[in-house]
Amino acid sequence: MAFEFLTDDHLERYGHFNADPTPTQLGRYFTLEPPDLEFLQITARDQHLRLGLAVQLCTLRFLGTFLNDPTDVPKNAVQTLARQLGITDLRFAKPYLRRRSTRFEHAKAIREYLEYKDFDRLEILH
């Protein structure tokens, strides 16, 4: 199995926030650079969609994976992103999840923006 080297504790902690990000982590992983802001502006017109997209982008950077529930994010991370986007209403979760496909469309857009690609089996073997 691919995860044999991980302890049960590592597996339990993987893929979600185990605590609020520290101020240092917020600065490193939740600071939006000008290209990020342009990507967010182009990809999502509505504020709740832009904030949800930013949350997914920065969560991927921080955790290395997308969340099963992209709105299950510490409040300080959402506040940090909202402040940079000029958004005062932090209630993005319900409208963001209204259309189930939005989060998957955004995940695809983020992978393209970051130039991530899926490895096929042959690439893994070489």
Side-chain angles (χ1 to χ4, degrees):
M1 171 173 253
F3 300 108
E4 290 175 347
F5 64 94
L6 296 175
T7 66
D8 289 342
D9 183 53
H10 285 122
L11 287 172
E12 185 178 311
R13 295 169 51 100
Y14 179 74
H16 60 276
F17 289 89
N18 297 291
D20 288 354
T22 65
T24 301
Q25 291 169 326
L26 288 171
R28 182 171 183 186
Y29 298 100
F30 293 86
T31 296
L32 300 168
E33 300 295 333
D36 300 333
L37 294 168
E38 183 178 347
F39 164 71
L40 295 169
Q41 186 68 33
I42 291 169
T43 308
R45 290 186 185 96
D46 295 334
Q47 285 190 351
H48 68 276
L49 294 176
R50 195 171 306 123
L51 183 54
L53 179 61
V55 165
Q56 283 214 77
L57 172 65
C58 294
T59 296
L60 175 62
R61 288 179 174 160
F62 184 70
L63 295 176
T65 187
F66 291 104
L67 295 171
N68 287 332
D69 176 355
T71 64
D72 188 18
V73 179
K75 188 174 182 176
N76 69 339
V78 176
Q79 289 171 329
T80 298
L81 293 169
R83 190 170 31 257
Q84 294 172 76
L85 295 169
I87 297 172
T88 56
D89 185 356
L90 302 181
R91 296 173 297 165
F92 76 100
K94 189 173 182 179
Y96 187 72
L97 296 176
R98 187 173 295 134
R99 237 181 95 243
R100 180 164 162 56
S101 60
T102 297
R103 69 186 230 188
F104 301 110
E105 292 165 0
H106 282 179
K108 181 180 182 220
I110 291 167
R111 284 192 302 274
E112 290 171 3
Y113 167 64
L114 296 175
E115 298 181 351
Y116 285 10
K117 69 175 202 162
D118 292 328
F119 292 104
D120 66 25
R121 194 163 173 80
L122 293 175
E123 290 174 311
I124 295 172
L125 296 173
H126 287 96

